Amino acid sequence: MSGTNHHQRGESLSLYLALADDAFYIQLEQQIIASGRDGRQGMLHYYDYSIQMAQATGRLTVPADGADWGAALWSLPHEPHENPPVTTQQKAAYFTEHLGRSAYEHYHAVCESMAKLTEPFIDKTDWYLSIIAIAPEYQSRGLGKELMKPALR
Protein backbone atom coordinates (compact mmCIF):
# COMPACT_ATOMS: atom_id res chain seq x y z
CA MET A 1 0.00 0.00 0.00
CA SER A 2 2.94 2.32 0.03
CA GLY A 3 3.10 3.26 -3.67
CA THR A 4 0.85 6.25 -4.30
CA ASN A 5 0.99 7.62 -7.82
CA HIS A 6 0.51 11.32 -8.52
CA HIS A 7 -2.87 10.83 -10.21
CA GLN A 8 -4.19 8.85 -7.26
CA ARG A 9 -3.14 11.62 -4.89
CA GLY A 10 -5.20 14.04 -7.03
CA GLU A 11 -8.23 11.79 -6.67
CA SER A 12 -7.58 11.53 -2.93
CA LEU A 13 -7.47 15.31 -2.66
CA SER A 14 -10.78 15.58 -4.55
CA LEU A 15 -12.36 13.10 -2.14
CA TYR A 16 -10.91 14.98 0.84
CA LEU A 17 -12.30 18.31 -0.35
CA ALA A 18 -15.68 16.89 -1.34
CA LEU A 19 -16.22 15.07 1.96
CA ALA A 20 -14.84 17.75 4.29
CA ASP A 21 -18.29 18.42 5.80
CA ASP A 22 -19.24 14.76 6.31
CA ALA A 23 -19.54 13.89 10.01
CA PHE A 24 -17.78 10.52 9.68
CA TYR A 25 -14.74 12.07 8.01
CA ILE A 26 -14.70 15.05 10.37
CA GLN A 27 -14.53 12.67 13.33
CA LEU A 28 -11.87 10.54 11.66
CA GLU A 29 -9.70 13.58 10.96
CA GLN A 30 -10.13 14.78 14.55
CA GLN A 31 -8.93 11.38 15.77
CA ILE A 32 -5.88 11.66 13.50
CA ILE A 33 -5.10 15.13 14.87
CA ALA A 34 -5.61 13.90 18.45
CA SER A 35 -2.92 11.30 17.82
CA GLY A 36 -0.45 14.12 17.05
CA ARG A 37 -0.52 13.71 13.28
CA ASP A 38 -1.35 16.06 10.43
CA GLY A 39 -5.09 15.62 9.85
CA ARG A 40 -5.10 16.45 6.16
CA GLN A 41 -2.16 14.16 5.38
CA GLY A 42 -3.75 11.38 7.41
CA MET A 43 -7.02 11.73 5.51
CA LEU A 44 -5.15 11.70 2.19
CA HIS A 45 -3.53 8.43 3.31
CA TYR A 46 -7.01 7.12 4.17
CA TYR A 47 -8.32 8.01 0.70
CA ASP A 48 -5.17 6.63 -0.98
CA TYR A 49 -5.72 3.34 0.84
CA SER A 50 -9.42 3.28 -0.02
CA ILE A 51 -8.66 3.87 -3.70
CA GLN A 52 -6.02 1.14 -3.71
CA MET A 53 -8.46 -1.30 -2.09
CA ALA A 54 -11.15 -0.48 -4.65
CA GLN A 55 -8.63 -1.09 -7.43
CA ALA A 56 -7.37 -4.35 -5.92
CA THR A 57 -10.51 -5.94 -4.53
CA GLY A 58 -13.52 -3.99 -5.74
CA ARG A 59 -14.19 -1.49 -8.45
CA LEU A 60 -12.86 2.02 -8.89
CA THR A 61 -14.57 4.41 -11.28
CA VAL A 62 -12.79 7.64 -12.15
CA PRO A 63 -13.51 10.26 -14.82
CA ALA A 64 -13.21 8.86 -18.32
CA ASP A 65 -11.20 11.88 -19.47
CA GLY A 66 -8.37 11.06 -17.06
CA ALA A 67 -9.07 14.06 -14.82
CA ASP A 68 -9.04 13.64 -11.06
CA TRP A 69 -12.17 15.55 -10.01
CA GLY A 70 -13.82 12.59 -8.33
CA ALA A 71 -14.15 8.87 -7.85
CA ALA A 72 -16.57 6.10 -6.94
CA LEU A 73 -15.19 3.26 -4.81
CA TRP A 74 -17.07 -0.02 -4.67
CA SER A 75 -16.59 -3.05 -2.46
CA LEU A 76 -17.55 -6.32 -4.09
CA PRO A 77 -18.77 -9.40 -2.27
CA HIS A 78 -16.54 -12.39 -1.82
CA GLU A 79 -17.59 -15.95 -1.17
CA PRO A 80 -17.68 -16.98 2.51
CA HIS A 81 -15.17 -19.78 1.82
CA GLU A 82 -12.71 -17.33 0.24
CA ASN A 83 -10.08 -15.59 2.28
CA PRO A 84 -10.78 -11.88 2.50
CA PRO A 85 -8.57 -9.94 0.08
CA VAL A 86 -7.16 -7.86 2.93
CA THR A 87 -7.17 -9.08 6.49
CA THR A 88 -8.34 -7.01 9.42
CA GLN A 89 -4.80 -7.17 10.77
CA GLN A 90 -3.35 -5.73 7.53
CA LYS A 91 -5.86 -2.90 7.53
CA ALA A 92 -5.25 -2.20 11.22
CA ALA A 93 -1.50 -2.08 10.65
CA TYR A 94 -1.80 0.36 7.73
CA PHE A 95 -4.29 2.62 9.51
CA THR A 96 -2.31 2.61 12.75
CA GLU A 97 0.90 3.52 10.92
CA HIS A 98 -0.61 6.32 8.83
CA LEU A 99 -3.58 7.56 10.88
CA GLY A 100 -2.82 6.58 14.48
CA ARG A 101 -4.29 3.93 16.76
CA SER A 102 -7.25 5.99 18.00
CA ALA A 103 -8.25 6.88 14.43
CA TYR A 104 -8.21 3.20 13.47
CA GLU A 105 -10.25 2.27 16.55
CA HIS A 106 -12.81 4.97 15.72
CA TYR A 107 -12.99 3.84 12.09
CA HIS A 108 -13.33 0.18 13.09
CA ALA A 109 -16.05 0.91 15.68
CA VAL A 110 -18.12 2.89 13.17
CA CYS A 111 -17.75 0.18 10.52
CA GLU A 112 -18.74 -2.55 12.97
CA SER A 113 -21.78 -0.56 14.06
CA MET A 114 -22.84 0.06 10.45
CA ALA A 115 -22.39 -3.62 9.60
CA LYS A 116 -24.66 -4.69 12.46
CA LEU A 117 -27.33 -2.13 11.59
CA THR A 118 -27.38 -2.93 7.88
CA GLU A 119 -27.00 -6.72 8.08
CA PRO A 120 -30.77 -7.43 7.90
CA PHE A 121 -31.08 -5.33 4.75
CA ILE A 122 -28.04 -6.28 2.70
CA ASP A 123 -27.60 -9.52 0.85
CA LYS A 124 -24.11 -11.06 0.90
CA THR A 125 -24.03 -10.81 -2.92
CA ASP A 126 -24.63 -7.03 -2.98
CA TRP A 127 -22.02 -4.54 -4.06
CA TYR A 128 -21.38 -1.71 -1.62
CA LEU A 129 -20.69 1.86 -2.74
CA SER A 130 -18.10 2.79 -0.14
CA ILE A 131 -17.33 6.32 -1.34
CA ILE A 132 -18.52 8.56 -4.13
CA ALA A 133 -17.41 12.15 -4.25
CA ILE A 134 -16.91 15.00 -6.68
CA ALA A 135 -14.50 17.88 -5.97
CA PRO A 136 -16.52 20.93 -4.88
CA GLU A 137 -15.66 23.02 -7.95
CA TYR A 138 -17.08 20.25 -10.21
CA GLN A 139 -20.30 19.58 -8.30
CA SER A 140 -23.79 20.29 -9.68
CA ARG A 141 -22.78 19.35 -13.23
CA GLY A 142 -24.24 15.84 -13.31
CA LEU A 143 -20.79 14.26 -13.11
CA GLY A 144 -21.80 11.76 -10.44
CA LYS A 145 -23.79 9.94 -13.12
CA GLU A 146 -20.58 9.50 -15.12
CA LEU A 147 -18.98 7.77 -12.13
CA MET A 148 -21.98 5.52 -11.51
CA LYS A 149 -22.75 4.34 -15.06
CA PRO A 150 -19.88 1.87 -15.55
CA ALA A 151 -20.71 -0.01 -12.36
CA LEU A 152 -24.45 -0.10 -13.02
CA ARG A 153 -24.29 -1.54 -16.54
Side-chain angles (χ1 to χ4, degrees):
M1 295 302 114
S2 59
T4 301
N5 67 43
H6 175 72
H7 184 68
Q8 179 177 304
R9 186 44 66 117
E11 292 161 350
S12 295
L13 181 59
S14 291
L15 297 179
Y16 176 76
L17 295 172
L19 298 169
D21 294 331
D22 182 282
F24 172 74
Y25 298 110
I26 290 170
Q27 288 294 315
L28 185 58
E29 187 168 5
Q30 288 175 349
Q31 291 294 322
I32 294 166
I33 293 167
S35 71
R37 299 165 192 262
D38 180 289
R40 179 182 170 118
Q41 287 304 311
M43 290 305 297
L44 290 174
H45 277 294
Y46 170 81
Y47 293 120
D48 291 343
Y49 179 87
S50 298
I51 289 168
Q52 290 174 14
M53 288 297 92
Q55 287 173 315
T57 67
R59 181 157 192 170
L60 172 67
T61 308
V62 295
D65 64 3
D68 57 12
W69 48 254
L73 289 65
W74 296 85
S75 296
L76 304 182
H78 62 275
E79 296 297 321
H81 64 277
E82 294 176 336
N83 290 327
V86 175
T87 67
T88 302
Q89 293 82 6
Q90 290 169 319
K91 184 181 271 190
Y94 180 88
F95 276 41
T96 300
E97 177 182 346
H98 295 284
L99 311 181
R101 186 81 186 147
S102 65
Y104 170 71
E105 289 172 355
H106 170 76
Y107 167 85
H108 185 69
V110 170
C111 290
E112 287 292 311
S113 176
M114 287 176 26
K116 287 178 186 172
L117 290 172
T118 60
E119 186 176 15
F121 309 104
I122 298 176
D123 188 276
K124 299 294 182 202
T125 62
D126 291 342
W127 289 27
Y128 173 69
L129 180 58
S130 175
I131 300 172
I132 185 169
I134 310 293
E137 64 270 22
Y138 290 92
Q139 292 176 5
S140 301
R141 298 182 190 182
L143 297 171
K145 288 184 245 178
E146 181 181 328
L147 296 177
M148 295 294 292
K149 280 182 185 177
L152 298 178
R153 287 187 189 149

